[in-house]
Structure formats: structure tokens, C-alpha cells
Amino acid sequence: MLITGAELADGRVRDVRVRDGEFLAVESGIEPEAGERVVDARGRTMLPGAVDVHVHFREPGGSHKETWTTGSRAAAAGGVTTVVDQPNTSPPTVDGDAFAEKAALADGNALVDYGLNGGVTAEWDPDALFDAPLLALGEVFLADSTGEMGIDADLFAEAVAAAAEHDVPVTVHAEDATLFDDEAMEGDLGGIGRAADADRWSAYRTATAEAVAVERAIETGIEAGGRIHVAHTSTPEGIDAVAEAAADGAPVTCEVTPHHLFLSRADAGRLGTYGRMNPPLRSTERRQAVFERLRDGTVDVVATDHAPHTVAEKEQGLAAAPSGVPGVETMLPLLLASVRQGDLPLERVRDVTAANPAAIFGLDRKGRIEAGRDADFVLVDLATSREIEAGALHSKARWTPFEGWRGVFPELTVRRGDVVYERDPVTGSESFGAAEGRNVRER
């Protein structure tokens, strides 16, 4: 395959040849070869395929919410060519058997490449997990009140130390449940769907609970000599704690989600229980501060925490509705819409969605458009956006908190040289490639 006249994120216009799943050449004036597919990319921007290091594709145990087929189709249609699935499935991915079960489900069903995070519970088996092609430890909670993946501080320290021995980064969900405001959840919680006062969830899971937990995770990581990656940081205080520690030499990074970048407590009335997520939506002022830290380079990664649930599940009362929103298909389009509006530099989007996550998680063949790396890329037309409509998305959830927003969607998504998604910009017709994604740790 030869892509001609593509503009890269840094403004250079280049021809790009792909062969045997790799970028063979990135330069000017490449001539087509006989029988080679040529893609005329004049007027299009070429970006490395996004690496979403935080998704929940729900299998095993939750296939009514999402599957590897539907989740990876949504990823491909959104320009994501590599995902990292989190461990809170059923059974949770905490031992070798559970890891093998999940890997078998992904094999032959995933359109995009994938990593599988392991998790930590009182029953976890670090030896079995580290013998598997493990990408990272996955979500590790600092307080035992956030579900079956929650652990206490002692077990967290043990997990970080074990990961440090194997040079594996630990992805941390940092909220300290001892600092939640229980009074915010008192009274009637039976409201349904959009009529529910989801803002109470934000009042309950306080910003302080996150900031304190981030600092504690960093301290534990430093003491154990481990690498800490703080997931879905939702407050400027949490981001700043990571940045300050990193400036002092600590191996710590953070990610933010599109919903914490673009949505706030001001959206609670519109979203109702559809807006319940962990961490919750923050104030408009905090949201703006988080976005500014994305713009100025303080934030390392944007990842989606793609957590689909059915409409019926979300339209329960506030106490019963599960937390989480879908987002793997809309992350890159929303960020590119911000580029189009002049709110973000294109190179920042390239770095936080591809180059940085690939580097942090040791994916040396991913994240950059360079000769010798995997040919993962997308082509987009930054001059054109379209309205986000749930019915046009590919997640099994069939809803989005960004209904009616504008996004710049890919026209072409390529994973290791194979087209996995293509959309005709004139007719809107779509096609998907073969489900030949593979585990990034299996070479």
C-alpha cells in the first residue's frame, strides 16, 4: 500500500509506503509499484492509530453490554488500533486461568490489537499472571469499597512491589472511599434515567478523595520502586501531584478521559444517571483546568475508560445504575474537533493518544509513523466534521453522552497494514476488515 500526499501532525507532507504490516518508508516522491494499492491522501491528515490503554470490552461475563467484536469495531471506526482491556470482568482477570479465558475470547474476534491487564484481589496469583503475556497490572483501588476489584493499602503495596520486580507499570484507580461524602447519598435515590439527580454522585465521590489517593499511590510507588500510571484523573489537583512527582524524577504518569475533558457537573441534569461514572463529573472550573493541563502538556495520556452499559441498566435509580460511559469511538473525533476549533494543537492529540501511551506501556512498535514500526494509522479530513449520533456508532451500548456533539471521524483506519475500517466521505457507506487483532505481548 502506498499513501500519497498525506499531511502529518507536524505539518510535513509525505508519501508513506506500507509493506508486510510495517511502515517501509516515510518520505517525499515515492513512486507506485505495479499492483500496489495507492491511496490519494491529498487534503487529508495522517495520524498514528490511537492506543487506548483503558477499555472495558466486558467479556467474559458481560457480553450483553459489549463483546470483543462490537467493542473493537467501535475502536476501529474511531481511529483506535490498539486497546488495553481492564480486569474487572467475570471472572476477574486475577490468575492465569482467567487470563487465558479472556485471551481466547479476544483471539479471532478483535479487529484491533490488544493488551490484557491483570488485576489484584486477595486471591490474585502474581506468578501466574506474570508468566502470561501481561501488559500491566490493571486497575488497583486504594480502598476496599469500590467493588470486587477494590483492595486495601497493604495489598496495594504488595502488588506494586511485585510489579516492580518484573518492570511492569501499575495502572491505578485512585479514589479513597474513606473520604466520600455519605450525606450526599442520603434520601430518595429512586429517580429514573435523565430525571435522576446525578450531580449527587459528584458530590458523593469528592475531589479530595481523588487527590489524596493519587498522592498515596505515588508515595507507595516510590517506596516500592514501581512505575505508577494513574487512570482517569479527573481533577487538576491529581494531575498536578503526578506532574510534580515526575518533575522530581518519579516514574509516574497520568491519563484523563474525554468525559472529564468535555463534560462537567453542569451536564448532570441533561445526562441523569447516564452521567454516573467513577471518578464522577467535576465542576466546570475543574473541567476547564483539566483541559488546560491537556493543552499545556501536563497530561500524559488521553484514554477513554470505555465502560458500556445497556440503556435499561443506566435508567435505574441513582443507587442502582452502574457507573461508566462508552467512549472508544468518540475519543479521537472529539479531540480532533477541538483541533479544528483551535482549542488544541494537533501534535498534542497525536502524542497523548498514540506516542505517549505506547512509550509508557512499552509498545515499541506502536504510536509513531516511522519506518520499521507497525503500520497503524488513520486518515482524517480536518475540514469536515459530523454530528455524533448514537445510532451511527458501533458499540453495543447504542448510546453516548456526546449525542449531538461534533466529531472529526476517520475515513480510513489501518492496523498493521490491513484496512480495518473504511468510510466513503460522500455516501457514508462503511466497511470493516478481518478480526485479526493480536495480543501486543505475543510476537
Side-chain angles (χ1 to χ4, degrees), residues 140-385:
V140 179
F141 291 82
L142 287 175
D144 190 12
S145 62
T146 46
E148 63 182 350
M149 300 305 296
I151 63 173
D152 61 26
D154 290 339
L155 185 53
F156 174 64
E158 175 190 323
V160 174
E165 291 180 3
H166 294 82
D167 193 27
V168 171
V170 179
T171 300
V172 182
H173 180 136
E175 287 187 282
D176 186 339
T178 66
L179 298 174
F180 290 173
D181 182 1
D182 293 333
E183 291 184 2
M185 295 294 283
E186 293 178 354
D188 181 18
L189 298 175
I192 296 175
R194 299 181 188 279
D197 184 9
D199 189 57
R200 295 170 68 180
W201 195 250
S202 297
Y204 168 58
R205 300 179 80 107
T206 65
T208 300
E210 175 178 283
V212 169
V214 170
E215 292 178 357
R216 193 181 308 155
I218 293 170
E219 292 171 2
T220 301
I222 292 173
E223 292 172 358
R227 290 190 286 141
I228 300 294
H229 178 71
V230 182
H232 43 49
T233 323
S234 64
T235 63
E237 295 90 342
I239 294 168
D240 290 346
V242 171
E244 290 166 9
D248 290 336
V252 57
T253 52
C254 73
E255 72 189 40
V256 298
T257 70
H259 44 273
H260 291 125
L261 286 168
F262 295 109
L263 302 174
S264 73
R265 292 175 71 169
D267 295 288
R270 172 179 67 87
L271 293 171
T273 47
Y274 288 91
R276 176 181 152 162
M277 74 264 310
N278 302 333
L281 296 176
R282 303 300 184 187
S283 68
T284 299
E285 292 75 19
R286 279 198 166 93
R287 183 206 69 77
Q288 292 170 337
V290 168
F291 193 93
E292 180 55 37
R293 283 156 176 76
L294 169 65
R295 183 163 41 217
D296 68 17
T298 307
V299 169
D300 300 293
V301 170
V302 176
T304 64
D305 192 11
H306 174 79
H309 300 285
T310 67
V311 168
E313 289 169 333
K314 292 297 279 189
E315 289 195 342
Q316 301 179 87
L318 181 60
S323 292
V325 298
V328 71
E329 189 168 349
T330 52
M331 172 181 70
L332 188 60
L334 286 166
L335 292 171
L336 293 177
S338 289
V339 171
R340 190 169 182 265
Q341 295 161 7
D343 294 332
L344 281 176
L346 182 58
E347 288 176 282
R348 280 294 295 145
V349 173
R350 173 201 63 194
D351 291 347
V352 297
T353 62
N356 291 355
I360 290 167
F361 287 90
L363 306 180
D364 296 336
R365 298 183 59 83
K366 305 292 186 182
R368 296 182 183 275
I369 298 173
E370 295 176 352
R373 293 182 184 260
D374 285 350
D376 299 341
F377 67 89
V378 298
L379 288 179
V380 299
D381 180 1
L382 287 174
T384 303
S385 66

